[in-house]
Amino acid sequence: MRTLTRTTTEERRRLPLSTADVVIRAIEGEDGGERFRGYAAKFNSRTAIGNPLRWGFYEEIAPGAFTKTLQEGDARFLVDHDSYYVVSRVSAGTLSLAEDAAGLPVDSALDPALSYVNDLKANVRNGNITGMSFGFYVLKDQWSTETIDTSEGPAEVEVRRILEVRLIEVSAVTFPAYEDTEAELASVASALVQRGDQAAIERRAKWRPELRDLLQLVDAGTSGGGPRGPAGNRAGGGPVCEQRGALAAHSTDTSDAAWDGPANAKDLPSEEAALRMAHAWVDPDGDANAKSSYRFIHHFVDMDGNVGAASTVACTTGIGVLNGARGGTTIPEEDRQAVYKHLARHLKDAGIKAPELKAVGSEPGESTRETSTPEPTTAPAAPEPAETTRSDLDVRLLRMKGLAARYGLATPRA
């Protein structure tokens, strides 16, 4: 058993409605009104993440896991993890979060002037809200092994006990925690990447070979394979050799709200982790903690510097720049295509068909590199070889790139 301390990707966990104890209650007193009350998390309640007998694990939250974050943070109450639908906020005095013996109770004001708040109340009463969830970063966790009885006899399983988290938000949710096995695998991968334990991944790779490739991605992204610590350092080691150029595509919440790029950039802290989350490209030769090294900002940033949902407006605008709008871009062609995939992924998640990426120099005035030249028109470009003609190394690299995009990890290079 060991305790690890490091921050990686944001995770989410859900309580079903029956466990979350969600209610809408009238406020006693002169002002009247109603409040939302429920639990976003329960302590010592064991949840299966993936298949614990093969490639997953059990997880539980320890009492006190929220103590520090509630003292230092400023969480919001959202609907379906969407930062556009903010119901209340701790610093505004409209949201109360405080641990009790059972878990993390939520007590929120409900402003009827917000149309989606009225929708939330109706959905709770009509049974359309199916539970509560919370978004968080794990700061400390503890892994142990237990033996449980199964229909086939005793079996060993691993248990992840979360000791401390950084709370981002709590949400009323309308969808189950996991809609498919792919989502479960993503959650397992996130925990295992944070854990940084080769043996833990190898044990599960028998059932899910993708996890073995994830180990290689961790090695590539941490300059030698050590687990990452806060601010991007290996635990007990030196700085991480992060991916530069185009940043890996990833799936996040999206929003079609009005977009103001300079305003969001102004609120963004000059910290590598936040800068990488908000942009799609970083200068390989630039200062990783300088805003000037980054391009294609497309995530909303609140006044506290927290990076939120991807803007569909910013993603569409960014693709326009890749195609030559607003003077185009000078990033290398291979990065241009990767940035396009990054922005197009967000649009796909939002159910929007991304504009096509035009060839460099395909139209007058749309050259996207200062040194670019029009493609030859006398002969078509040679077709890409069929995958069956690629070497085993090429096929493996392609598969690893796909996994990197899926889990938001560093893209491996040949």
Side-chain angles (χ1 to χ4, degrees), residues 17-323:
L17 192 62
S18 58
T19 306
D21 300 329
V22 170
V23 294
I24 303 290
R25 289 184 179 173
I27 302 174
E28 296 182 1
E30 296 180 359
D31 54 351
E34 294 177 309
R35 295 188 72 88
F36 177 104
R37 289 173 181 163
Y39 279 87
K42 289 287 185 75
F43 295 138
N44 300 319
S45 178
R46 188 162 293 186
T47 303
I49 308 297
N51 184 333
L53 294 177
R54 295 183 177 181
W55 51 272
F57 53 88
Y58 286 107
E59 182 182 82
E60 58 189 29
I61 301 173
F66 299 99
T67 301
K68 186 176 181 181
T69 192
L70 293 180
Q71 294 171 349
E72 300 175 349
D74 182 18
R76 285 79 163 164
F77 175 34
L78 311 176
V79 179
D80 277 330
H81 300 289
D82 192 330
S83 59
Y84 182 76
Y85 297 109
V86 182
V87 177
S88 57
R89 181 175 178 175
V90 171
S91 63
T94 52
L95 174 63
S96 174
L97 298 172
E99 289 181 311
D100 64 14
L104 181 65
V106 176
D107 185 351
S108 171
L110 296 173
D111 186 348
L114 298 171
S115 61
Y116 53 83
V117 167
N118 294 319
D119 294 338
L120 171 64
K121 292 191 292 185
N123 282 323
V124 169
R125 290 176 174 133
N126 295 337
N128 298 327
I129 294 292
T130 59
M132 291 205 70
S133 179
F134 67 103
F136 63 102
Y137 291 92
V138 174
L139 300 182
K140 294 181 182 179
D141 60 2
Q142 186 180 76
W143 292 81
S144 60
T145 302
E146 294 183 5
T147 300
I148 63 172
D149 293 325
T150 72
S151 59
E152 299 178 358
E156 282 195 347
V157 296
E158 288 193 308
V159 178
R160 183 195 197 193
R161 188 167 174 84
I162 296 178
L163 305 178
E164 182 182 338
V165 306
R166 179 162 71 89
L167 182 66
I168 306 302
E169 47 83 14
V170 295
S171 284
V173 292
T174 58
F175 293 99
Y178 298 119
E179 295 182 325
D180 52 38
T181 303
E182 186 73 12
E184 288 189 289
L185 185 64
S187 188
V188 171
S190 176
L192 292 179
V193 167
Q194 169 167 335
R195 186 177 179 182
D197 187 329
Q198 175 177 350
I201 295 177
E202 288 292 343
R203 284 195 298 272
R204 293 164 172 84
K206 174 183 176 182
W207 308 102
R208 299 307 298 252
E210 302 97 315
L211 294 173
R212 185 177 289 113
D213 286 336
L214 279 172
L215 173 64
Q216 302 301 320
L217 293 172
V218 175
D219 288 341
T222 56
S223 184
R228 293 184 195 180
N233 290 339
R234 294 197 312 275
V240 174
C241 181
E242 292 283 9
Q243 174 198 10
R244 293 301 188 95
L247 300 175
H250 58 125
S251 293
T252 66
D253 290 337
T254 61
S255 173
D256 60 0
W259 170 254
D260 185 335
N264 283 281
K266 181 180 178 181
D267 290 333
L268 193 62
S270 295
E271 300 172 357
E272 182 179 5
L275 291 167
R276 291 173 65 87
M277 289 174 64
H279 295 82
W281 188 85
V282 56
D283 185 349
D285 300 317
D287 181 352
N289 291 305
K291 294 182 182 181
S292 59
S293 299
Y294 294 80
R295 300 187 195 176
F296 296 97
I297 185 172
H298 58 283
H299 281 265
F300 286 97
V301 183
D302 66 22
M303 290 186 294
D304 294 325
N306 298 310
V307 180
S311 165
T312 57
V313 176
C315 291
T316 302
T317 301
I319 291 175
V321 172
L322 293 173
N323 282 333

Side-chain angles (χ1 to χ4, degrees), residues 340-403:
Y340 171 79
K341 292 179 180 179
H342 185 132
L343 300 177
R345 167 68 69 83
H346 289 306
L347 292 175
K348 180 180 179 182
D349 289 341
I352 300 173
K353 180 176 175 58
E356 292 185 1
L357 180 66
K358 298 177 181 178
V360 174
S362 60
E363 294 182 14
E366 291 206 351
S367 174
T368 58
R369 287 197 292 169
E370 294 172 347
T371 58
S372 64
T373 57
E375 295 289 337
T377 57
T378 55
E384 184 180 30
E387 186 148 335
T388 54
T389 66
R390 296 186 175 111
S391 68
D392 290 343
L393 179 60
D394 289 337
V395 172
R396 180 174 177 80
L397 186 61
L398 285 171
R399 185 171 66 250
M400 290 175 66
K401 284 184 176 181
L403 288 165

